[in-house]
Amino acid sequence: MPVDRLFADPELAALYDAMCRGRPDFAFYLPLVASADAVLDVGCGTGELLRLARAAGHSGRLCGLDPAPAMLDHARACTDVDWVVGDLRSADWDHDFSLVVMTGHAFQVLVTDDDVRVALAAIGHALADDGRFVFETRNPRAREWESWTAHPSSAFVAGDGTVVHRRVAVDAVRGDLVRFTQTYTSPRWAAPRASTSTLRFLDAASLRERLASAGLVVHAQFGDWDRTPLHDSSPEIITIAGRG
Ligand SMILES: C[S@@+](CC[C@H](N)C(=O)[O-])C[C@H]1O[C@@H](n2cnc3c(N)ncnc32)[C@H](O)[C@@H]1O
């Protein structure tokens, strides 16, 4: 499956951790990772979650899966995690993991019904009997893409100290699919670099249905990283599911 330029282009992949600095979700995910003996991070990107867990003393099995070699090049700074290039279509884990996570809204890259079905089946197969699958997806009811249009420009400091400017344009909203283009400008580049992505915004009922079809039961759903209950206009749908 081809990945967006944002993840495939080494110059853009190198910006990813700086772009995500101060993210609120790791305070939610890190304790879950710390208390699980074997963890699979699907769409791990630069692997920051597992790198932090290992640095904090996690001594069990940590495995990161991502189809973008340019992102995994950064993950590989940590040598005692298994970094695997690929996606769930090629996965053949056999109930190896007590925790599977998909963070950074990676679940939303699964844009077709078949992508979602295949991914959830593979996750069910990777999970131990009492294992948990924890992931989040932006709540479509909060219509976050409208705030991207209202506030299209931002800037952040890259790892080398240069200031990178980012501009977002929403190209199309069709049903639950949002296509948008991000354009990055750095003083180190002769020309801006642009990446077009499509994300799927599944609602909570639809997620529950798809999880159930894959034999996965929802244990809890939250609407934000402080574990507030999910309601109609929550920004996130954060789901903890298991095989039983
Ligand atoms: C927004 S990043 C999230 C990275 C990381 N999980 C985080 O929290 O920062 C989305 C990641 O999903 C990966 N990805 C794209 N298509 C994928 C697929 N079919 N299966 C798994 N991961 C995929 C991309 O390469 C990218 O690294």
Side-chain angles (χ1 to χ4, degrees):
M1 180 180 194
V3 293
D4 302 341
R5 185 176 181 196
L6 179 60
F7 311 121
D9 177 335
E11 292 280 358
L12 291 177
L15 299 176
Y16 186 82
D17 287 350
M19 218 183 314
C20 295
R21 210 173 280 136
R23 59 192 292 174
D25 56 335
F26 280 3
F28 173 89
Y29 278 108
L30 275 168
L32 297 174
V33 173
S35 60
D37 58 350
V39 182
L40 172 64
D41 183 353
V42 176
C44 66
T46 59
E48 192 178 9
L49 179 71
L50 297 186
R51 286 189 277 126
L52 288 171
R54 190 63 94 205
H58 194 289
S59 56
R61 180 174 179 195
L62 297 177
C63 181
L65 173 73
D66 199 285
M71 295 290 271
L72 286 179
D73 279 351
H74 298 277
R76 290 203 172 90
C78 180
T79 53
D80 54 357
V81 171
D82 292 334
W83 303 112
V84 180
V85 182
D87 62 27
L88 288 165
R89 286 184 184 270
S90 51
D92 63 351
W93 287 291
D94 187 12
H95 307 299
D96 292 13
F97 296 100
S98 49
L99 177 68
V100 176
V101 296
M102 284 186 89
T103 71
H105 306 106
F107 188 82
Q108 291 188 248
V109 307
L110 305 171
V111 291
T112 69
D113 287 343
D114 193 54
D115 290 340
V116 173
R117 190 185 52 74
V118 170
L120 292 178
I123 287 165
H125 210 75
L127 274 181
D129 284 347
D130 58 352
R132 293 289 177 261
F133 172 42
V134 187
F135 69 105
E136 85 284 346
T137 176
R138 297 175 184 88
N139 184 1
R141 303 251 169 111
R143 305 175 72 83
E144 190 185 299
W145 60 88
E146 290 178 353
S147 73
W148 302 345
T149 301
H151 308 285
S153 299
S154 57
F156 59 92
V157 180
D160 64 2
T162 55
V163 176
V164 175
H165 291 270
R166 172 174 173 262
R167 195 170 173 82
V168 189
V170 174
D171 305 319
V173 181
R174 301 253 186 283
D176 56 16
L177 297 179
V178 177
R179 196 181 76 231
F180 60 102
T181 299
Q182 303 178 73
T183 305
Y184 293 86
T185 309
S186 163
R188 294 200 308 112
W189 308 330
R193 293 173 128 85
S195 174
T196 296
S197 306
T198 299
L199 295 178
R200 189 165 189 185
F201 287 68
L202 285 174
D203 64 24
S206 183
L207 276 176
R208 268 194 296 271
E209 240 172 65
R210 285 152 205 272
L211 288 162
S213 300
L216 295 168
V217 177
V218 173
H219 291 272
Q221 277 185 318
F222 307 110
D224 212 340
W225 298 112
D226 57 5
R227 292 182 172 246
T228 46
L230 177 64
H231 56 79
D232 251 21
S233 59
S234 298
E236 306 282 349
I237 304 171
I238 301 162
T239 302
I240 300 182
R243 293 177 59 221

